[in-house]
Amino acid sequence: MQTFLKGKRVGYWLSEKKIKKLNFLTFVDMCRKRGIEIIQLDLSRPLEEQGPLDVIIHKLTDHILEADQKDAQAQLLVQSVQLTSLNKSLQDYIDAHPETVVLDPMPAIRTLLDRAKSYQLIHKIEALLQDDRICSPPFVVLHSECGRETLGQLQQRGITFPFICKTQVAHGTSSHEMAIIFSEDDLKSVKPPCVIQSFINHNAVLYKVFVVGEAYSVVERPSIRNFPIGPTDRRAISFNSHHVSKPESSSDLTTRDNLEGQSQAPSDDIIQMICRCLRQTLGISLFGIDIIINNQTGQHAVIDINAFPGYEGVPDFFDDLLSLVTSALQTKASVGGVYPRAGGVVVQGQGGGPVVSAAMETAPPTCAKPCGMLGNEGGAWVVDGEGGRKSQHQGRVSSCNSGVSASFKKHCAPSSLATKASSQ
């Protein structure tokens, strides 16, 4: 047993459904065998009564969403985690306990729950990296029904037919309900509020990147088939992206009979670059990235980012999660028990409080190019009810690699593993 692990305490909160789906009790047993005390947090009690806590692992996306949507009961649940017995916020708790590592910061989770914000972030990362191998599909946020001026606004933003409509909320069952629009006639099928994103032909292959700290796994999944560029008389297609991307999915919508251009696997260095930027900017360690490869240009396009995904098809998830926790605890032990937040990038949190990355291993930067903080000037355009548009503003800029180790561990997760994991 590594001596610095003895007596360390990890608290976790996941829904019962998530615990069963991940078989998370296996991870609990792994921790205990390493001498780590791990407890399931009780949301009805203040955190101070359940401490001390060296690490907190959580997935509170459901409660965060419901609280943000003014659901009173969910608001109380979130407050029970955010508030101590002294009525302090979670950030105050973290500030008062610098020894506690949170996986992951709740303001960062809120960013990933909003597709408009996460797409804006990806656009800013693309602009600042200036790497021709990365492209971000143009998008707009639609808040009102499509009018005569909508088509012109879409064209002005570089969005042409076909395009894809997604809910702005990036979590929950309804977030998987999407539609492909092929012509102006079907603009009436667009139901706001939503995010409209250019559709990129990618030879019906989606690459799901599952990230755990500095380890990531790439799982290949079925995706939407190629369609002709430009307006056609094809009617709008509604689909559930979760069903489409299942390993065993096979339908006319996912057929690969009309492959065009080039087909290639994603580049490791591009994946690492994107992962570093997201970790550095948001301070997150547990997330998923959906990547497609443009079949004409070979460019990598990030089409979605997910907080604490399901990790289906990732056999080493618990090993990587334990390594992440162990690394955080070891870093704390090496500096006297206080987690070295100063080395990370500060992201503005709720109430102005700083939220710092939970993965702060110091390493010389390998890239001098900056990564965008939650959308600087020139971010996503928001189409409002008057047909106008406005730019969303946020954030700061920092190096995409400072404070993040340059070594990433990759797991190659073949489709057979994904199929096995999803069928259990």
Side-chain angles (χ1 to χ4, degrees), residues 112-340:
L112 297 186
L113 290 177
D114 186 327
R115 281 194 171 105
K117 291 181 180 179
S118 62
Y119 291 174
Q120 184 182 34
L121 175 61
I122 289 297
H123 270 259
K124 189 55 59 177
I125 287 176
E126 177 201 4
L128 293 172
L129 288 178
Q130 297 181 356
D131 192 316
D132 291 338
R133 298 172 299 172
I134 301 173
C135 70
S136 301
F139 75 97
V140 298
V141 183
L142 191 66
H143 290 308
S144 59
E145 298 288 343
C146 291
R148 288 178 296 179
E149 73 286 349
T150 304
L151 185 59
Q153 292 167 352
L154 295 177
Q155 291 173 342
Q156 192 170 6
R157 289 296 295 157
I159 298 176
T160 58
F161 295 108
F163 60 75
I164 189 165
C165 295
K166 306 179 182 181
T167 60
Q168 187 168 346
V169 175
H171 177 74
T173 304
S174 62
S175 68
H176 299 292
E177 299 300 329
M178 304 181 184
I180 304 175
I181 306 299
F182 295 93
S183 69
E184 185 176 357
D185 292 340
D186 279 328
L187 287 179
K188 59 183 180 294
S189 301
V190 177
K191 302 299 182 184
C194 67
V195 178
I196 294 176
Q197 184 183 59
S198 284
F199 179 81
I200 296 175
N201 282 327
H202 52 284
N203 284 340
V205 177
L206 171 69
Y207 296 98
K208 299 190 77 69
V209 181
F210 296 104
V211 184
V212 185
E214 293 191 350
Y216 69 90
S217 301
V218 181
V219 178
E220 182 178 322
R221 294 282 178 81
S223 187
I224 304 298
R225 54 167 291 189
N226 296 331
F227 288 106
I229 298 173
T232 65
D233 58 2
R234 184 186 295 269
R235 301 311 304 264
I237 298 176
S238 297
F239 66 97
N240 183 295
S241 63
H242 180 69
H243 297 158
V244 165
S245 63
K246 285 185 175 180
E248 67 275 11
S249 177
S250 178
S251 68
D252 180 63
L253 194 56
T254 60
T255 182
R256 302 194 70 201
D257 292 340
N258 62 336
L259 300 186
E260 300 174 344
Q262 50 185 299
S263 295
Q264 63 186 57
S267 165
D268 287 342
D269 64 322
I270 293 178
I271 291 177
Q272 291 175 17
M273 190 186 310
I274 294 171
C275 289
R276 288 191 187 104
C277 282
L278 289 172
R279 289 183 62 205
Q280 183 73 14
T281 302
L282 294 177
I284 56 176
S285 297
L286 301 171
F287 60 100
I289 311 171
D290 289 351
I291 293 178
I292 58 174
I293 308 295
N294 188 315
N295 67 355
Q296 298 301 313
T297 66
Q299 292 175 305
H300 296 57
V302 176
I303 58 172
D304 263 318
I305 311 171
N306 307 297
F308 206 145
Y311 292 97
E312 294 94 347
V314 183
D316 298 300
F317 170 57
F318 290 146
D319 292 326
D320 292 333
L321 183 57
L322 185 58
S323 294
L324 175 63
V325 171
T326 300
S327 176
L329 293 173
Q330 185 175 27
T331 300
K332 285 175 49 180
S334 66
V335 293
V338 179
Y339 201 63

Side-chain angles (χ1 to χ4, degrees), residues 43 47 60 76-84 89-90 106:
L43 299 190
L47 287 181
L60 286 167
L76 291 175
L77 285 172
V78 173
Q79 287 175 346
S80 70
V81 176
Q82 287 184 312
L83 303 181
T84 68
S89 67
L90 174 59
M106 288 174 46

Side-chain angles (χ1 to χ4, degrees), residues 367-378:
C367 170
K369 298 176 181 178
C371 268
M373 302 292 288
L374 307 184
N376 294 309
E377 297 287 341

